[in-house]
């Protein structure tokens, strides 16, 4: 017989059963934050309880030595697992990174390796002796130098876990406060029990009560599951709902760190490891929507993901506690890029349909009006010729007068009609948008970079005639820049003065002799047109030019829509 029955082992096996049950529960809910590490902690507790029970029951040095060595897996990994669990549940998931975890495991790995060679090296334990004086045989030993390295690291992690859990438990504004209270109780019980054993305070016939205390800690964990949802910050059905849904869901704590997110959100923003990261590092647009008050929001955002412009509709809701304090934010994100593209295509098709309809109307108007007028004119010409053949000059002149009136009326109607077509685009479009289109054409035709054409325009609603004339002035100036200036940068400014608006078009081109421009018979460089359009606005134009700087400055009165000179827009 190598083992004997010891009643105390019943409690150890019960403790093992409880910790193992909690580990299984955690693995079944492994998608929730931190449950994998906590499940590992419970498995370590199970190993510790079983190995300790078998060590107590063993009757030989070899068997006791084997089970004692096996317990060092729990001694080494337990503190690290508790520390990582505490980090997860106190909002410090960003600390749990692969490189840091590997660093934490160096000392435990060496300890677990060295204990199997203690009979030869004695670095962790030495001086083994089997004490058979009592009913239960005890393997006595002394500690080697490496044990104190292991002890220092293990208790540094244990006290760090207690400190972090304590901070979260004392912080009333922490969304993790309930979880932290249960973690603090569990970790403190285990650490205190083990410290008492190492200090020589032996209870229960000299046995180490720490594995047994694990069952108490496990009981606290089970209570925490049902009391404050210890294992989950999201519903239990998470894997069935959130994992499968196409809507992205992201949960952010009060500090702006990501607590949880589903795969759809990871796909939307090309995220690999989002939990623990700052939301502003993932998406500044989403971070700007984070709720500071218990008010729901619905916004549309535009952001670039892997160089592609994407559109998202975001519903933002605050997470509040029982007192109404905001503890975090949950965002439901829908990718509406495809919808926006369809809407853009629909708008384009509507515009094309409107253009086609307008062309048809224009053709019909020409047929009805101009065709009728030409037919009448043809009749009048034949009548004139007939009267001239008869020698009736007076009657012929009467027909010619009527013909001239009709043709003059047609000319006026056609001029008004063309003016209406040309100014229709100005009526429902703001001046900044119209000038932005002009600037885009300049960039395309002149090879200017996007930042080399600068527009500085006021937020002001101009009248129709003002918009027409300003756009035509800028257009003419841009044409001259393209043809003659060899400029690389262009500035357009429209600013209010005390009584006048001041329009300035400036470039860094080669310049010209401004004194000869406006007085030229044909308007050298075409700039005489600018003077005419400035007069329509009730203003005047001034041109200043020298190598490296040319400025066209137009001053015109404020609050003056100008006269409706249609003939100026039919050039």
């Amino acid at each position: 017989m190598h083992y004997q029955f010891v009643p105390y082992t019943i409690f150890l096996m019960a403790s093992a059963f409880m910790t193992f049950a909690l580990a299984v529960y955690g693995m079944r809910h492994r998608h929730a934050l931190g449950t994998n590490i906590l499940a590992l902690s419970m498995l370590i507790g199970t190993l510790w309880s079983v190995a300790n029970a078998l060590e107590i029951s063993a009757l030989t040095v070899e068997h006791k030595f084997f089970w004692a060595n096996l317990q060092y897996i729990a001694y080494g990994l337990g503190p690290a697992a508790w520390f990582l669990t505490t980090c997860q549940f106190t909002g410090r998931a960003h600390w749990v990174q692969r490189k840091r975890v590997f660093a934490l495991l160096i000392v435990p790995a060496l300890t677990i390796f060295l204990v199997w060679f203690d009979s030869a090296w004695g670095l962790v334990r030495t001086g083994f002796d089997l004490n058979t004086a009592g009913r239960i045989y005890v393997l006595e030993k002394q500690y080697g130098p490496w044990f104190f390295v292991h002890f220092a690291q293990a208790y540094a992690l244990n006290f760090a876990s207690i400190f972090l859990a304590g901070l979260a438990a004392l912080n009333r504004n922490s969304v993790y406060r309930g979880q932290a209270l249960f973690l603090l109780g569990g970790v403190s019980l285990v650490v205190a029990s083990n410290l008492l054993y190492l200090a020589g305070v032996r209870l229960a016939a000299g046995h180490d009560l720490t594995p047994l205390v694990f069952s108490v800690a496990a009981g606290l964990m089970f209570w925490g599951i049902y009391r404050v949802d210890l294992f989950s910050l999201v519903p239990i059905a998470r894997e069935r709902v959130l994992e499968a849904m196409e809507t992205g869901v992201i949960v952010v704590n009060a500090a702006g760190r990501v607590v949880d997110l589903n795969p759809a959100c990871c796909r939307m923003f090309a995220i690999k490891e989002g939990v623990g990261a700052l939301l502003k590092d993932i998406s500044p647009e989403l971070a700007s929507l984070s709720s500071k008050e218990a008010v729901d929001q619905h916004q549309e955002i535009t952001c670039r993901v892997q160089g592609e412009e994407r559109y998202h509709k975001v519903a933002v809701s605050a997470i509040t506690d029982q007192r109404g304090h905001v503890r975090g934010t949950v965002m439901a994100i829908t990718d509406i890029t495809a919808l926006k593209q369809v809407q853009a295509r629909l708008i384009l098709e509507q515009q094309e349909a409107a253009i086609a309809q307008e062309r048809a109307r224009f053709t019909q108007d020409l047929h009805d009006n101009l065709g009728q007028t030409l037919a009448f004119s043809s009749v009048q010409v034949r009548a004139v010729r007939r009267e001239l053949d008869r020698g009736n000059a007076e009657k012929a002149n009467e027909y010619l007068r009527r013909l001239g009136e009709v043709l003059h009326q047609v000319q006026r109607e056609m001029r008004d009609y063309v003016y209406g077509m040309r100014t229709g685009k100005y009526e429902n479009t703001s001046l900044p948008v119209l000038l932005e289109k002009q600037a885009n054409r300049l960039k395309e035709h002149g090879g200017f970079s996007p930042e080399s054409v600068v527009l500085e325009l006021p937020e002001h609603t101009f009248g129709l005639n003002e918009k027409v004339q300003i756009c035509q002035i800028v257009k003419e100036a841009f044409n001259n820049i393209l043809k003659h200036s060899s400029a690389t940068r262009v500035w357009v400014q429209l600013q209010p003065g005390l009584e006048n608006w001041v329009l300035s078009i400036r470039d860094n081109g080669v310049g010209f002799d401004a004194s000869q421009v406006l007085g030229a018979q044909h308007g050298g460089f075409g700039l005489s047109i600018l003077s005419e359009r400035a007069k329509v606005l009730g203003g005047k134009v001034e041109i200043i030019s020298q190598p490296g700087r040319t400025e066209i400055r137009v001053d015109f009165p404020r609050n003056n829509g100008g006269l409706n000179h249609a003939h100026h827009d039919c050039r």
Side-chain angles (χ1 to χ4, degrees):
M1 284 291 294
H2 300 297
Y3 295 91
Q4 63 177 344
F5 173 72
V6 178
Y8 175 71
T9 59
I10 296 175
F11 298 101
L12 291 174
M13 298 308 292
S15 174
F17 174 79
M18 293 184 67
T19 53
F20 182 74
L22 186 57
V24 172
Y25 187 92
M27 291 304 296
R28 289 182 61 185
H29 298 82
R30 59 187 176 275
H31 294 296
L33 178 67
T35 52
N36 281 335
I37 298 178
L38 187 54
L40 176 62
S41 300
M42 294 300 102
L43 284 176
I44 290 171
T46 302
L47 173 64
W48 194 351
S49 297
V50 171
N52 189 248
L54 292 173
E55 181 194 358
I56 292 172
S57 300
L59 297 174
T60 66
V61 173
E62 293 77 10
H63 289 84
K64 285 186 176 291
F65 187 73
F66 175 80
W67 293 114
N69 288 349
L70 209 58
Q71 290 177 70
Y72 266 86
I73 297 177
Y75 298 159
L77 297 180
W82 278 117
F83 177 72
L84 296 177
T85 301
T86 306
C87 288
Q88 291 277 18
F89 282 106
T90 56
R92 294 174 175 82
H94 57 286
W95 288 11
V96 185
Q97 298 179 2
R98 186 170 299 178
K99 292 181 179 179
R100 294 177 180 175
V101 172
F102 284 156
L104 287 178
L105 296 179
I106 292 175
V107 172
L110 289 174
T111 303
I112 294 169
F113 172 76
L114 291 175
V115 293
W116 297 97
F117 298 94
D118 273 345
S119 58
W121 299 343
L123 292 175
V124 181
R125 300 158 302 170
T126 186
F128 293 101
D129 182 39
L130 184 61
N131 186 346
T132 59
R135 182 173 177 273
I136 301 174
Y137 295 177
V138 178
L139 182 64
E140 296 180 346
K141 73 279 185 183
Q142 296 177 352
Y143 296 118
W146 184 260
F147 174 84
F148 297 100
V149 177
H150 151 72
F151 177 85
Q153 194 230 22
Y155 275 88
L157 293 176
N158 285 336
F159 287 127
S161 300
I162 293 174
F163 177 74
L164 293 177
L167 284 180
L170 292 173
N171 183 8
R172 291 188 176 185
N173 295 324
S174 175
V175 71
Y176 307 98
R177 190 176 184 226
Q179 292 93 329
L181 286 171
F182 289 98
L183 276 176
L184 179 61
V187 175
S188 298
L189 282 174
V190 174
V191 172
S193 175
N194 191 246
L195 273 178
L196 289 174
Y197 176 76
L198 293 175
V201 180
R202 307 296 172 87
L203 304 174
H207 300 303
D208 183 3
L209 294 179
T210 307
L212 188 61
V213 170
F214 245 99
S215 64
V216 179
L220 285 174
M221 298 301 173
F222 273 115
W223 187 25
I225 289 172
Y226 296 103
R227 180 67 177 82
V228 292
D229 293 331
L230 180 61
F231 272 94
S232 181
L233 291 179
V234 293
I236 295 299
R238 178 187 194 279
E239 62 272 21
R240 296 184 181 180
V241 179
L242 296 183
E243 295 292 322
M245 67 192 303
E246 292 299 322
T247 299
V249 178
I250 186 167
V251 183
V252 184
N253 65 12
R257 291 194 179 276
V258 176
V259 173
D260 198 25
L261 71 171
N262 69 344
C265 187
C266 293
R267 291 192 298 269
M268 287 181 187
F269 296 94
I271 304 170
K272 293 183 179 179
E273 295 182 1
V275 175
L278 288 170
L279 181 60
K280 65 180 181 180
D281 294 336
I282 295 176
S283 172
E285 296 82 5
L286 285 179
S288 66
L289 302 180
S290 185
S291 182
K292 300 298 183 183
E293 299 180 357
V295 179
D296 292 348
Q297 304 178 48
H298 294 82
Q299 301 284 344
E300 288 187 8
I301 63 171
T302 304
C303 55
R304 299 194 68 82
V305 179
Q306 294 183 330
E308 182 181 357
E309 191 171 56
R310 309 293 297 181
Y311 299 88
H312 299 95
K313 185 175 182 179
V314 186
V316 184
S317 298
I319 301 174
T320 58
D321 58 17
Q322 296 176 348
R323 298 182 179 181
H325 297 150
V326 177
R327 300 293 181 246
T329 304
V330 60
M331 299 181 181
I333 309 162
T334 305
D335 191 330
I336 58 172
T337 303
L339 176 62
K340 287 290 186 180
Q341 293 172 345
V342 170
Q343 290 176 341
R345 287 196 295 269
L346 180 60
I347 292 172
L348 181 60
E349 291 172 0
Q350 290 174 341
Q351 291 174 344
E352 291 175 348
I355 292 172
Q357 184 178 6
E358 184 65 20
R359 286 174 178 170
R361 186 178 69 84
F362 180 62
T363 303
Q364 186 66 37
D365 287 346
L366 287 178
H367 178 271
D368 293 344
N369 298 327
L370 188 58
Q372 183 179 9
T373 302
L374 291 175
F376 174 80
S377 299
S378 178
V379 172
Q380 292 295 98
V381 169
R382 286 197 299 269
V384 169
R385 181 177 296 174
R386 184 178 65 248
E387 295 300 328
L388 288 175
D389 290 342
R390 294 176 180 176
N392 193 351
E394 184 178 350
K395 192 68 173 178
N397 287 332
E398 177 65 20
Y399 284 133
L400 286 174
R401 184 185 64 78
R402 290 174 59 188
L403 178 61
E405 291 177 354
V406 170
L407 292 176
H408 179 72
Q409 179 65 25
V410 170
Q411 181 186 19
R412 185 169 62 253
E413 290 179 357
M414 289 299 298
R415 184 173 59 197
D416 292 342
Y417 187 80
V418 172
Y419 175 75
M421 292 184 62
R422 294 189 62 183
T423 59
K425 67 179 181 179
Y426 296 99
E427 292 181 357
N428 300 318
T429 308
S430 67
L431 182 63
V433 173
L434 292 169
L435 293 183
E436 184 68 34
K437 292 179 180 179
Q438 298 274 17
N440 290 336
R441 282 194 287 269
L442 176 65
K443 296 171 189 176
E444 293 174 3
H445 298 161
F448 288 87
S449 61
E451 64 274 5
S452 62
V453 181
V454 180
L455 301 180
E456 296 181 12
L457 306 172
E459 293 293 334
H460 178 77
T461 302
F462 288 93
L464 173 61
N465 188 63
E466 287 177 313
K467 288 193 286 186
V468 171
Q469 303 306 327
I470 292 171
C471 288
Q472 293 301 321
I473 289 172
V474 173
K475 180 180 179 180
E476 189 62 41
F478 282 177
N479 287 337
N480 286 311
I481 290 172
L482 283 174
K483 294 177 182 178
H484 309 292
S485 74
S486 300
T488 59
R489 292 186 65 85
V490 178
W491 295 265
V492 178
Q493 293 177 310
L494 180 56
Q495 297 177 339
L498 293 177
E499 298 180 354
N500 292 347
W501 286 103
V502 180
L503 172 64
S504 171
I505 303 108
R506 183 162 48 90
D507 67 73
N508 63 347
V510 296
F512 56 88
D513 187 355
S515 63
Q516 300 180 6
V517 171
L518 295 179
Q521 182 179 0
H522 301 291
F525 300 105
L527 292 176
S528 62
I529 298 174
L530 302 179
S531 180
E532 296 181 31
R533 294 197 176 276
K535 290 178 181 178
V536 174
L537 291 172
K540 61 180 181 179
V541 64
E542 179 183 4
I543 300 176
I544 304 171
S545 182
Q546 61 185 18
R549 176 185 172 88
T550 296
E551 181 180 8
I552 298 173
R553 179 187 174 99
V554 179
D555 292 73
F556 60 94
R558 299 180 66 175
N559 302 320
N560 178 20
L563 299 176
N564 225 357
H565 297 282
H567 62 277
H568 284 282
D569 298 290
C570 299
R571 297 183 183 276

